[in-house]
Amino acid sequence: MKVLIVMLLMSSYSVADDEGSGSAVEDPEISANPDHMNVGDVLRDFEQTILDSELYSGESSNTSLTTESVEQTANATTKPERPKSRINCLQSNVSRTEDLLVLNGTELQLKVGEENNPNITNRTFPAVCTIVYFFGSWCNFSAKASPYFNALPRYYPRLNFYAIEASNNINVFAQFGVIALPSVLVFHNGRLVSGFNSTEHSLEAYIQFLTSLTSIQPENIEVKLDPSDYEGPIPTVAVVNFNYILLLAYLFLVVCGLVNLSKSSYCRNLLDNLRNAWREVEIQHEHTD
């Protein structure tokens, strides 16, 4: 478009110059008048006006774009996005006499059931949060991780912490899908919402897990274990007791294996060979007598 305008202006200049030169010869009064402007001057002024308007519009658009980019940068700098928590925990203001409770299966189900509010249907609404530690008294891995979980209530005093042992509560472990020891599960409004999946069981890992999950900052104290954390309430030393049920299970398997082996063809052939060998020995003994 600009090239076409320039070509028209150039052609107009040539025509205007020819007409101006001709009019100067034919009409000396017009050429003698200093206030008179020919067609070429008018076209030159018109061209300059177009160029000035285009330059002004380009500068104004660049200025507006620069202003918008500065405003967006300022907004992004002054209004950082806050990370959202995955669950909304209602922190208790009631002081507890015991920080960590070791429960059996029935007590745990009653505690979790009491924390359920039927009016809350979403984990983004504030509700009671409970952290449950599943362990085995005979498990060495549980014994190593237990001191760290014993210390957790000291850093989150307004959350509920429970523990349950595996020996006599297999049905509860199966209900919540616990297949590895130790395991840490988080309940929100009496419903299972998350679990600790890291293979590293340490106090720092537990604190990072709960903080990222609930957005609750731990107490401003040094992250370390106290001697009392090794004393309980969860035992920190694996205790291997004699399991009579396991012994009966082994005996049952041995008996079933022997019965099935006695009915096999290999066992029958072996017994027949033994009988024949015994008869031959008896016959030889009779001949010698």
Side-chain angles (χ1 to χ4, degrees), residues 45-57:
D45 292 340
F46 180 68
E47 178 189 8
Q48 187 64 34
T49 302
I50 293 175
L51 294 176
D52 291 342
S53 63
E54 290 180 354
L55 179 62
Y56 177 74
S57 62

Side-chain angles (χ1 to χ4, degrees), residues 33-133:
N33 188 3
D35 297 332
H36 178 72
M37 294 181 63
N38 57 20
V39 178
D41 294 334
V42 173
L43 293 175
R44 291 188 186 93
D45 292 340
F46 180 68
E47 178 189 8
Q48 187 64 34
T49 302
I50 293 175
L51 294 176
D52 291 342
S53 63
E54 290 180 354
L55 179 62
Y56 177 74
S57 62
E59 291 178 353
S60 61
S61 62
N62 293 333
T63 303
S64 62
L65 290 175
T66 304
T67 304
E68 291 177 359
S69 62
V70 170
E71 290 178 354
Q72 292 176 358
T73 305
N75 292 334
T77 305
T78 57
K79 296 180 180 180
E81 293 184 359
R82 183 180 178 182
K84 296 181 180 179
S85 60
R86 294 166 58 185
I87 61 174
N88 192 348
C89 291
L90 182 63
Q91 302 186 58
S92 174
N93 294 323
V94 181
S95 60
R96 296 187 296 271
T97 57
E98 296 184 60
D99 295 332
L100 174 60
L101 299 177
V102 180
L103 309 175
N104 57 35
T106 304
E107 292 172 341
L108 178 62
Q109 290 177 339
L110 290 176
K111 287 284 187 181
V112 173
E114 291 173 357
E115 297 170 357
N116 179 260
N117 185 353
N119 296 325
I120 298 176
T121 58
N122 196 315
R123 67 180 63 181
T124 58
F125 290 94
V128 178
C129 291
T130 300
I131 297 89
V132 183
Y133 181 74

